[in-house]
Amino acid sequence: MSRRNLALLGATLVSLIYGVTFTIAKDVMPLYIDAYGFILLRAGGSMILFWLVWLFMPKEKITLNDFPRIIAAAFFGVAFNMLTFFKGLSLTSPISAAVIMVSTPMIVLALSAIIMKERMKNRMVLGIVLGLIGTAFLILYGKSIGSATNAGLGNFLVLVNAISYGFYLIIVKKLMDKYNAFTFVKWIYLFGFIMVLPFGWSQFDAVDWAIVPTVIGWKIAFVVVFSTFLTYLLNLLSMKELKPTTVAVFIYLQPLFATIFAISLGKDELSWVKIVSAVLIFAGVYLVSSPQSPANEGRLDVKTETATEN
């Protein structure tokens, strides 16, 4: 198998892992451990794994003036990002959360226009508007089954998570250009762990591990090892062989995998609200990420690449 095909396989596997994570994490929260306690486990476990891998990687020295950017990346990419996502997921359904996460590329583009002063074409603006309408429709009217206790608030928190991750992608871009990823990612997770510690410690300490079934323990391990650590490694492998814009397209597979997995296990169900919201969001994503337009707007690919590279 060629290196490109291996990269494509890796990118597909990342989307598959993320897709099943929505349902697997729901099985753990909030019955056995609350969202913030779970985040402490995820951030702490991943931090240990990244530091262990760094021992076998080429060593680079980080300049002191880059640490404020690393701390900001830790806040938006680990602490605030994970806290809002897992809290939102604990309140809503796997399918709704997966659909909202597809709006991430549009959010990144909008933030790039605001922060980095990048120009947006009319169709890109239309795409963002359609995506926001679809997301708002899902937040206001999306219903869920099972343990979804407050779908509206949960969907909103997942959207906040996507916005936070958009900030992270923009912040981390300069670090990616300057250092090997393993040089700074260990610091991002260290600072992120410190940030989530005050929020998650009481919930983590309250867990009665004696009554946690073995299967739930394996699901917790899956989220730490596969959904966090392994997906980052696979993304690095994919981005060595593929354009960032190509890797970004694979995020659109997540709702497909999440839907198939959740419905097959009876954890969620389709509804017209979710279908209409998904259509609006995917239409918006298409308008934003399509490399060509009737007006020959061929520079979009460069801007999207800048916004989504990580």
Side-chain angles (χ1 to χ4, degrees), residues 47-306:
M47 174 193 67
I48 293 172
L49 291 174
F50 281 124
W51 276 89
L52 287 175
V53 170
W54 171 78
L55 295 176
F56 304 95
M57 302 299 293
K59 303 300 184 291
E60 290 180 291
K61 184 177 181 180
I62 298 177
T63 58
L64 191 61
N65 58 2
D66 281 327
F67 274 96
R69 181 175 292 271
I70 290 175
I71 293 173
F75 175 78
F76 288 108
V78 177
F80 192 58
N81 171 278
M82 289 187 180
L83 290 172
T84 52
F85 175 71
F86 267 48
K87 185 63 176 179
L89 183 59
S90 70
L91 298 174
T92 188
S93 72
I95 294 177
S96 296
V99 168
I100 291 176
M101 284 304 297
V102 177
S103 64
T104 299
M106 292 184 294
I107 293 171
V108 171
L109 188 63
L111 292 175
S112 296
I114 296 171
I115 298 174
M116 303 172 68
K117 308 301 181 182
E118 293 186 357
R119 295 182 59 188
M120 289 196 299
K121 309 298 183 182
N122 290 335
R123 66 186 175 85
M124 296 161 66
V125 175
L126 175 61
I128 291 174
V129 171
L130 285 177
L132 290 177
I133 292 174
T135 303
F137 190 53
L138 189 60
I139 290 173
L140 294 175
Y141 300 106
K143 304 297 181 183
S144 304
I145 65 172
S147 59
T149 55
N150 191 338
L153 177 60
N155 291 336
F156 174 74
L157 289 175
V158 173
L159 175 62
V160 171
N161 149 77
I163 295 173
S164 176
Y165 190 67
F167 275 110
Y168 164 76
L169 289 177
I170 294 174
I171 292 171
V172 84
K173 175 66 170 59
K174 289 186 178 180
L175 295 174
M176 288 290 294
D177 292 340
K178 191 172 182 179
Y179 303 105
N180 179 288
F182 284 102
T183 299
F184 62 84
V185 71
K186 66 183 188 296
W187 290 107
I188 287 179
Y189 270 85
L190 174 61
F191 289 125
F193 173 75
I194 294 173
M195 291 176 188
V196 302
L197 188 60
F199 298 92
W201 176 252
S202 61
Q203 294 184 0
F204 173 78
D205 190 52
V207 177
D208 185 357
W209 293 103
I211 65 171
V212 175
T214 301
V215 65
I216 296 299
W218 282 112
K219 290 180 178 181
I220 292 173
F222 177 90
V223 172
V224 173
V225 177
F226 289 90
S227 303
T228 309
F229 177 73
L230 181 60
T231 53
Y232 191 91
L233 293 179
L234 289 174
N235 270 328
L236 288 178
L237 170 65
S238 298
M239 291 188 67
K240 286 183 178 180
E241 301 296 328
L242 304 173
K243 293 181 180 179
T245 46
T246 303
V247 176
V249 168
F250 281 84
I251 194 175
Y252 310 148
L253 294 177
Q254 291 182 28
L256 173 63
F257 291 133
T259 298
I260 293 173
F261 193 69
I263 293 177
S264 66
L265 297 180
K267 302 293 186 179
D268 202 359
E269 61 184 8
L270 280 176
S271 67
W272 282 110
V273 169
K274 293 174 184 175
I275 293 173
V276 172
S277 298
V279 169
L280 288 172
I281 292 174
F282 273 88
V285 169
Y286 172 78
L287 290 173
V288 167
S289 60
S290 178
Q292 295 183 2
S293 73
N296 294 324
E297 298 165 352
R299 303 186 69 84
L300 172 62
D301 205 26
V302 176
K303 295 178 181 178
T304 305
E305 180 170 328
T306 300

